[in-house]
Amino acid sequence: MAEAAGGAAGVAADVLRLLAERDQTLAVAESLTGGMVAAALTAVPGASRSFRGSVTAYATELKHRILGVDAGLLAAEGAVNVQVAEEMAAGVRRVMGASWGIATTGVAGPDPQDGQPVGTVFVAVAGPGIRNTARLRLNGSRAEIRRESARTVLELLSSELRENLRGQDTEQNGGT
């Protein structure tokens, strides 16, 4: 499984360690990555301490029905959109009762989708008072695009967790 998730394995272990240190949890919403992020996380021994679960909402209607993504947004813009990624991350966080939610949506190929070219990907993180997204323009095969998307969403979360920790340390040090 770690091979299927490419370079995501090491980042997944780091994310799970950071979550466990904070006694926080994670839920994942995936579209183009089709479970690769969840696979990278569950390949790490002890993942169940922090990983709540995932939703692979490959079909557009499931993004609305399960994750609560705005139906009007999906109809107007399609599923490959920064706001869709953000709503997926917030939705899976809510549905799974997790501290953090992350999401992937995009076009891995072979054909364009929703007016977006192959390699257009949006990843998002939703956490306590935090929402962050990134737009990726990836090259390569379908498999390479999916692997890089999985790795990048985990790196975005890792960065947010580290920033969140620095902010807490500053508050604690400033208050003494």
Side-chain angles (χ1 to χ4, degrees):
M1 283 294 176
E3 183 180 315
V11 184
D14 184 52
V15 160
L16 289 167
R17 180 185 55 76
L18 291 167
L19 288 165
E21 287 174 2
R22 293 161 181 76
D23 198 28
Q24 293 181 330
T25 57
L26 172 63
V28 178
E30 299 185 68
S31 187
L32 84 148
T33 49
M36 293 175 80
V37 177
L41 290 162
T42 58
V44 177
S48 61
R49 178 171 177 194
S50 300
F51 182 60
R52 301 266 307 147
S54 65
V55 173
T56 301
Y58 210 64
T60 299
E61 87 234 19
L62 296 179
K63 291 171 181 65
H64 168 68
R65 204 163 24 139
I66 296 172
L67 299 172
V69 175
D70 182 81
L73 171 66
L74 290 167
E77 302 293 329
V80 183
N81 176 286
V82 67
Q83 190 177 343
V84 170
E86 187 176 291
E87 289 187 22
M88 287 173 65
V92 79
R93 178 180 180 225
R94 183 185 63 254
V95 168
M96 300 278 182
S99 309
W100 296 85
I102 59 176
T104 64
T105 187
V107 187
D111 301 314
Q113 179 186 338
D114 296 333
Q116 299 287 351
V118 172
T120 302
V121 177
F122 296 94
V123 297
V125 171
I130 294 168
R131 286 198 180 185
N132 193 1
T133 58
R135 178 187 178 133
L136 313 176
R137 301 289 286 160
L138 303 173
N139 296 311
S141 69
R142 176 177 171 81
E144 290 166 333
I145 290 168
R146 293 175 71 226
R147 278 193 303 267
E148 184 62 16
S149 299
R151 185 188 63 76
T152 301
V153 75
L154 288 167
E155 284 184 346
L156 185 62
L157 176 58
S158 177
S159 175
E160 286 296 339
L161 288 167
R162 290 177 193 287
E163 188 62 34
N164 190 260
L165 178 62
R166 279 192 290 278
Q168 287 176 357
D169 287 346
T170 301
E171 284 178 23
Q172 288 170 359
N173 291 336
T176 54

